[in-house]
Amino acid sequence: MSSNFPKQKTKPESLDQVEVRYNSSPLGRSGGALGLYIHIPFCKQACHYCDFHFSTSVKKKGELVDMLCKELELRKDELPGKEVQTIYFGGGTPSLLASKELDQLFDTIFSNYRVAENAEITLEANPDDLSREKLELLKASKINRLSIGVQSFFGEDLKLMNRAHNATEALESIQMAKKYFDNISIDLIYGIPDMSEERWKKNIEIALELGLPHFSCYALTVEPNTALKKFIDKGIIKPVDDDAAKAHFEILTKTLKVAGFVHYEFSNFGKPGYFSQNNTAYWTGKPYLGIGPSAHSYDGESRKWNVNNNTLYIKSLQKGSIPAEAEKLSVKDKYNEYVMTHLRTMWGVSPEEVRERFGEVFKEYLLEQATQHLNEGFLKMEHGNLHVTEKAKFLSDGIAADLFLVDLDTQTI
């Protein structure tokens, strides 16, 4: 892609002028909503594909929960005036939390934050943790949404990924969870080596027969320093086939559309009224606090991330210090993030909002960069916004990259 703005007849704003106008604009700031993300860094065993921060030893679980509460208390004034609309327990495996540990976290949250009456409160759970007793305890808590990490309903897939549950547990956990929760999402993974189109279709069929309102579906990716990467390099597992993953994605989108699901973000499908409020807030630029080791935070102007080491996290919080690094976002960063996140959604990228947030020069740059993709049918303009077309959805990240601004400081316009 070209890194230059289209030529202008008038002198463009300087970087400083753009920064001042953006930061003073109401559209450059998020509203009064806030998300809380709580990272629970423990798992029973390591999935072969996972590169998230976790430990398979739970010896420090109680101590770490104490420090999660301490961090929540220390950061309560970080985003003043915000009402918490979503609380998300991610990981790791949050369903490993005991009832008293969940209660401890909720007591701390509700004592230190203003939580909306109808806040969406999600807990990620693994099928093997969802016994009837566990579900009764979760139902009695403030949790009102479950995200169940099924990944596949077939044993061969689960074995390849080294999941802790089996195919029977995957199915039975959902059937049981439906007796306690209405708002349930499950994760499914496609593009798994040796997963045929027929098996993927069957996965979708089983999921639909369960009558769930939301699915999060991801292509299997090979991350560095994972067991999956090592096994592929050694020839133990076949490489991931991008063409097969693309075919699986197309089957997924067509099947779920017929079933009445809205494809509201690249990896997420929901029935009306069941979109993930937590993730939608991320994609639309709302602020959030990330609590726990490796958790990230965003306030509209900067990003912050905690150390990804349980011991260092605990020791630092015991001394009253939050072990985090921060990065101030430039206007270029904000523009690129806006394009990246919004293009993945059903709402698309608004050139007018780009103009209001960043200035006319950014809008014209966006439209210039979009021209080729519009001509090739990869992008379309609908209701004033840029959207990825159906045939190009699997390429959306690459298209977004073509709309990015590479270098703002050295522009000659």
Side-chain angles (χ1 to χ4, degrees), residues 47 57 65 116 143 156 199 233 248 263 293 302 315 355:
C47 298
S57 170
V65 169
I143 301 294
E156 52 264 58
R199 191 155 86 226
D233 289 345
H248 290 173
H263 190 190
S302 63
K315 288 183 177 179
R355 183 191 67 78

Side-chain angles (χ1 to χ4, degrees), residues 178-383:
K178 286 180 61 182
K179 298 177 182 179
Y180 299 90
F181 290 89
D182 168 61
N183 198 350
I184 298 174
S185 175
I186 65 169
D187 289 352
L188 293 174
I189 293 180
Y190 57 90
I192 299 170
D194 286 328
M195 173 185 271
S196 65
E197 290 185 9
E198 289 70 27
R199 191 155 86 226
W200 177 234
K201 288 177 183 177
K202 187 62 178 178
N203 259 318
I204 301 171
E205 180 184 323
I206 293 170
L208 288 173
E209 288 175 350
L210 288 165
L212 301 174
H214 190 279
F215 303 118
S216 294
C217 303
Y218 307 96
L220 181 66
T221 55
V222 184
E223 301 292 350
N225 303 316
T226 60
L228 179 61
K229 177 69 165 62
K230 294 174 183 176
F231 292 148
I232 289 175
D233 289 345
K234 292 179 180 179
I236 299 172
I237 293 177
K238 291 181 180 179
V240 170
D241 185 335
D242 290 340
D243 289 337
K246 184 175 184 292
H248 290 173
F249 178 77
E250 291 171 352
I251 291 168
L252 174 72
T253 55
K254 290 176 183 177
T255 305
L256 292 189
K257 183 177 181 179
V258 170
F261 284 80
V262 180
H263 190 190
Y264 69 98
E265 192 273 339
F266 179 83
S267 301
N268 288 270
F269 305 79
K271 288 289 183 73
Y274 287 94
F275 297 177
S276 167
Q277 296 177 35
N278 173 79
N279 291 346
T280 299
Y282 291 160
W283 299 318
T284 53
K286 297 293 190 293
Y288 56 89
L289 290 181
I291 305 298
S294 80
H296 285 232
S297 302
Y298 171 71
D299 65 3
E301 301 299 329
S302 63
R303 294 199 177 278
K304 184 183 293 184
W305 55 96
N306 289 349
V307 66
N308 62 344
N309 182 292
N310 290 358
T311 300
L312 292 178
Y313 175 82
I314 290 170
K315 288 183 177 179
S316 185
L317 264 299
Q318 286 173 337
K319 297 176 182 177
S321 174
I322 300 169
E325 296 181 58
E327 173 192 19
K328 174 76 173 177
L329 298 176
S330 67
V331 172
K332 179 185 75 173
D333 294 331
K334 295 170 187 174
Y335 164 81
N336 287 347
E337 288 195 8
Y338 173 87
V339 170
M340 177 182 67
T341 55
H342 284 67
L343 200 62
R344 289 177 61 94
T345 72
M346 62 180 286
W347 303 284
V349 173
S350 166
E352 186 59 25
E353 186 173 1
V354 167
R355 183 191 67 78
E356 292 172 333
R357 287 191 175 200
F358 309 106
E360 183 68 27
V361 69
F362 281 85
K363 174 186 174 181
E364 294 191 15
Y365 175 80
L366 168 70
L367 293 175
E368 177 69 17
Q369 294 301 108
T371 299
Q372 182 177 347
H373 290 303
L374 287 165
N375 292 338
E376 293 176 344
F378 293 156
L379 287 175
K380 62 182 178 180
M381 188 69 77
E382 193 172 79
H383 305 299

